[in-house]
């Protein structure tokens, strides 16, 4: 498989350190608010990568942190403490906020068919590990104490800006007009490993350390959590593109200074989901959640399809129009699959499978081209082969794409026979098989003069925002 590596700025053949095994690390969410669908774009694409590696036969171990301490509103150690901000907003404790939004995050992931990583580790559970690594960085001269805080000294590295050859002045922290310079830093790019002098008097979470009572900086958690569970050599590190600098740059600096050798070989960065106004972000308060999409009648898996239809290294612009198109495409796909005969006992055609599989694999082997991989679903549906072969292939492809197509098709099939019995009337709508099936069930109930059941179904449809109009030619439905 070829993957674009942000370190080398080119596509490279993926070769893990240990044959057959992949050690994968993902920056987890900062749990002070709901994840927005931009964050979830990153996790969807990382999920496809993990599933494809597993499908390709690798034994994958994936680790994710949960940032429940230390993340300030600017990634460069300035601004408000994000967790504290969330706690104040909701009049709760930091730990209550962390628990609530961690659970909400995994509930969203489940709706989007994102697998939970093998290890999920909140940062607050690893303070001793942070202290161990920071102590060594101080002993070996990579870190220094100033004004009570411990800083990483970026001047000790041969090369600090590893992802891009940024102009140091352009990126230098503290030179932006709106950012107050930290006078303790020896170099502008230095970053905090441990805070004891906090500007937040009400800092909720503090721990004892050799440098005084305080709390860790944000970057140290990912290095330590990765090394704790995956050892000294990491194959793939994932995250959204905004994490490349300074977060991942700092992770590399401190991990390699600590280990004394190269740490991670491949850096997989997912580009942003933007709105027409720019990047979607939690801190700006203007963001869309999975629940909001559901309230508007969208299936979360239609959003997953929307993400898969574009390449992870391209900025994706969100609009309801684009999402509507993905939702329609999703419903059509499910409908077509529902029309296949699951009882077809014809032996699976291995030759046809191989040809279809090759195209699918070629797409993902080329830097995870999910858009092309999605088209292989249509190739399967169009192929001149048995329904049994098609269903087997669709199941195989969807074990990677994670669109939940077979269970969704099964639901449609299960809903249809009840309504179909003796059904002659037409249904006109927006092509949603589930709604069509409900409308047909109501028609059937009316035919049987079961008015209570017919009214119950109408109420159910109304609560889903569906309006029905009975006409001579049949029933028209629309979303309000
Ligand atoms: P956070 O919860 O802010 O730490 O972010 C969680 C993940 O979402 C990180 O990998 C970020 O890089 C990523 N991310 C943040 N904003 C976006 C966005 N608009 N589009 C895609 N990924 C994002
Ligand atoms: Zn991280």
């Amino acid at each position: 498989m070829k993957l674009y590596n942000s370190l080398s700025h080119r596509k490279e053949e993926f070769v893990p350190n240990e044959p057959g095994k992949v050690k994968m690390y993902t920056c987890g969410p900062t749990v002070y608010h709901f994840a927005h669908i931009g964050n979830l774009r990153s996790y969807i694409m990382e999920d496809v990568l993990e599933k494809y590696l597993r499908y390709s036969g690798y034994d994958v171990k994936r680790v994710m942190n949960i940032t429940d301490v230390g993340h300030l509103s600017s990634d460069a150690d300035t601004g408000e403490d994000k967790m504290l901000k969330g706690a104040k907003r909701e009049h709760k404790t930091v730990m209550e906020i962390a628990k609530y939004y961690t659970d909400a995050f995994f509930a969203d992931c489940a709706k989007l068919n994102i697998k939970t990583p093998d290890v999920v580790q909140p940062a607050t559970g690893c303070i001793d590990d942070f202290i161990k690594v920071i102590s060594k960085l101080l002993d070996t001269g990579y870190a220094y104490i100033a004004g009570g805080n411990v800083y990483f000294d970026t001047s000790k590295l041969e090369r600090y800006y590893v992802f891009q050859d940024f102009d140091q002045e352009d990126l230098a922290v503290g030179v932006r007009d709106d950012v107050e310079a930290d006078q303790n830093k020896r170099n502008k790019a230095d970053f905090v490993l441990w805070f004891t002098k906090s500007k937040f008097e009400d800092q909720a979470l503090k721990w004892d350390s050799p440098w005084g009572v305080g709390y860790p900086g944000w970057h140290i958690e990912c290095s330590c959590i990765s090394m704790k569970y995956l050892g000294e050599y990491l194959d793939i590190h994932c995250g959204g593109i905004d994490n490349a600098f300074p977060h991942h740059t700092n992770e590399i600096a401190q991990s390699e200074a600590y280990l004394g050798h190269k740490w991670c070989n491949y850096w997989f960065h997912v580009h942003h989901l933007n709105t027409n106004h720019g990047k979607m972000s939690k801190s700006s308060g203007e963001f869309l959640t999975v629940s909001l999409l559901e309230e508007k009648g969208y299936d979360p898996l239609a959003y997953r399809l929307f993400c898969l239809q574009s390449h992870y290294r391209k900025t994706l612009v969100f609009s309801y129009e684009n999402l509507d198109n993905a939702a329609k495409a999703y419903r059509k796909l499910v409908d077509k699959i529902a029309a296949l005969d699951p009882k077809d006992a014809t032996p699976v055609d291995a030759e046809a499978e191989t040809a279809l599989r090759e195209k699918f694999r070629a797409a993902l082997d080329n830097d995870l081209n999910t858009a092309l991989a999605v088209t292989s679903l249509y190739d399967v549906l169009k192929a001149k082969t048995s329904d049994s072969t098609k269903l087997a292939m669709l199941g195989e492809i969807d074990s990677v794409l994670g669109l939940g197509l077979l269970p969704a098709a099964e639901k449609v099939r299960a809903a249809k026979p009840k309504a179909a019995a003796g059904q002659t009337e037409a249904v006109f709508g927006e092509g949603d098989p589930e709604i069509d099936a409900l409308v047909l069930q109501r028609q059937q109930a009316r035919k049987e003069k079961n008015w209570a059941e017919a009214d119950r179904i109408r109420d159910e449809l109304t609560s889903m925002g569906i309006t029905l109009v009975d006409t001579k030619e049949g029933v028209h439905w629309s979303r309000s």
Side-chain angles (χ1 to χ4, degrees), residues 33-44 101 103-114 273 280 282 286-307 318 320 323:
H33 217 319
F34 292 108
H36 57 64
I37 58 172
N39 300 127
L40 291 159
R41 177 192 190 198
S42 288
Y43 295 114
I44 288 171
Y101 287 114
D103 291 349
F105 172 73
F106 287 111
D108 284 346
C109 286
K111 286 177 189 164
L112 291 163
N113 270 349
I114 298 171
L273 179 80
M280 195 174 288
K282 280 188 224 183
E286 262 187 11
F287 61 88
L288 298 166
T289 58
V290 170
S291 311
L292 186 77
L293 294 188
E294 281 184 303
E295 276 165 32
K296 289 182 183 283
Y298 293 100
D299 183 333
L301 294 174
Y303 176 67
R304 184 168 172 121
L305 177 63
F306 170 73
C307 291
F318 178 84
Y320 281 107
L323 184 61

Side-chain angles (χ1 to χ4, degrees), residues 330-358:
Y330 185 74
R331 285 199 294 262
K332 273 192 192 151
L333 257 176
V334 171
D335 235 2
K336 283 191 179 145
I337 297 170
L340 299 175
D341 179 6
K343 294 201 185 76
D344 178 17
T346 320
V348 169
D349 177 351
E351 213 174 299
E353 268 198 328
T354 307
L356 292 164
R357 185 179 292 126
E358 264 170 25

Side-chain angles (χ1 to χ4, degrees), residues 27-32 36 38-43 46 67 71 82 218 238-243 270-274 279-282:
C27 288
T30 308
V31 284
Y32 72 112
H36 57 64
N39 300 127
L40 291 159
R41 177 192 190 198
S42 288
Y43 295 114
E46 294 163 6
T67 299
H71 196 169
K82 290 190 177 185
W218 170 40
C238 316
I241 189 71
D242 58 314
N243 280 168
V270 180
H271 286 239
H272 279 153
L273 179 80
N274 283 359
K279 186 196 151 195
M280 195 174 288
S281 78
K282 280 188 224 183

Side-chain angles (χ1 to χ4, degrees), residues 254-475:
Q254 64 206 1
S255 300
E256 297 192 352
Y258 174 78
L259 293 167
H261 59 70
K262 187 169 181 186
W263 172 48
C264 177
N265 285 336
Y266 300 88
W267 288 82
F268 178 87
H269 287 123
V270 180
H271 286 239
H272 279 153
L273 179 80
N274 283 359
T275 62
N276 290 330
H277 313 292
K279 186 196 151 195
M280 195 174 288
S281 78
K282 280 188 224 183
S283 42
S284 74
E286 262 187 11
F287 61 88
L288 298 166
T289 58
V290 170
S291 311
L292 186 77
L293 294 188
E294 281 184 303
E295 276 165 32
K296 289 182 183 283
Y298 293 100
D299 183 333
L301 294 174
Y303 176 67
R304 184 168 172 121
L305 177 63
F306 170 73
C307 291
L308 299 193
Q309 282 172 327
S310 78
H311 195 256
Y312 76 91
R313 280 196 296 115
K314 285 206 178 108
T315 299
L316 179 57
V317 178
F318 178 84
S319 72
Y320 281 107
E321 203 186 337
N322 294 343
L323 184 61
D324 282 339
N325 289 336
K328 269 187 204 142
Y330 185 74
R331 285 199 294 262
K332 273 192 192 151
L333 257 176
V334 171
D335 235 2
K336 283 191 179 145
I337 297 170
L340 299 175
D341 179 6
K343 294 201 185 76
D344 178 17
T346 320
V348 169
D349 177 351
E351 213 174 299
E353 268 198 328
T354 307
L356 292 164
R357 185 179 292 126
E358 264 170 25
K359 202 174 160 201
F360 165 68
R361 295 204 61 145
L364 294 185
D365 277 341
N366 183 11
D367 193 24
L368 210 73
N369 190 336
T370 50
L372 206 56
V374 165
T375 66
S376 60
L377 292 166
Y378 298 98
D379 295 338
V380 174
L381 285 164
K382 277 187 286 188
K384 292 197 175 25
T385 185
S386 63
D387 282 7
S388 57
T389 309
K390 289 183 185 180
L391 284 165
M393 227 26 242
L394 290 164
E396 183 176 323
I397 293 177
D398 206 30
S399 71
V400 175
L401 299 184
L403 293 166
L405 294 170
L406 296 195
E410 195 43 53
K411 255 170 110 184
V412 172
R413 269 189 217 112
K416 270 199 170 138
K418 273 191 252 159
Q423 180 56 54
T424 49
E425 285 182 70
V427 175
F428 304 92
E430 296 170 16
D432 183 329
E434 274 181 59
I435 308 290
D436 289 350
L438 277 170
V439 174
L440 284 167
Q441 279 178 38
R442 172 174 168 268
Q443 294 301 85
Q444 186 64 21
R446 278 158 62 106
K447 230 180 232 156
E448 290 164 4
K449 303 208 181 335
N450 186 350
W451 308 117
E453 175 64 1
D455 287 349
R456 189 197 62 74
I457 299 173
R458 179 191 271 274
D459 289 347
E460 186 181 337
L461 287 162
T462 308
S463 71
M464 291 161 82
I466 305 294
T467 312
L468 300 183
V469 180
D470 295 314
T471 67
K472 269 192 216 146
E473 47 177 346
V475 181

Side-chain angles (χ1 to χ4, degrees), residues 10-84:
R10 56 187 175 82
K11 282 191 216 173
E12 286 176 31
E13 192 59 40
F14 173 67
V15 185
N17 281 306
E18 231 181 293
K21 288 195 174 165
V22 178
K23 294 180 178 180
M24 188 170 173
Y25 184 86
T26 297
C27 288
T30 308
V31 284
Y32 72 112
H33 217 319
F34 292 108
H36 57 64
I37 58 172
N39 300 127
L40 291 159
R41 177 192 190 198
S42 288
Y43 295 114
I44 288 171
M45 304 317 284
E46 294 163 6
D47 181 63
V48 177
L49 175 62
E50 176 187 352
K51 285 180 173 147
Y52 187 57
L53 290 167
R54 286 184 195 274
Y55 168 88
S56 305
Y58 289 109
D59 173 8
V60 181
K61 182 170 178 188
R62 177 151 172 226
V63 176
M64 179 193 273
N65 65 308
I66 298 288
T67 299
D68 54 357
V69 69
H71 196 169
L72 306 190
S73 60
S74 154
D75 290 351
D77 303 334
T78 56
E80 272 183 281
D81 176 311
K82 290 190 177 185
M83 293 303 297
L84 212 54

Side-chain angles (χ1 to χ4, degrees), residues 93-127:
T93 66
V94 165
M95 286 326 274
E96 281 167 346
I97 289 285
K99 163 102 184 67
Y100 181 78
Y101 287 114
T102 302
D103 291 349
F105 172 73
F106 287 111
D108 284 346
C109 286
K111 286 177 189 164
L112 291 163
N113 270 349
I114 298 171
K115 179 186 168 294
T116 303
D118 304 292
V119 177
V120 175
Q121 175 64 65
T124 48
C126 289
I127 302 298

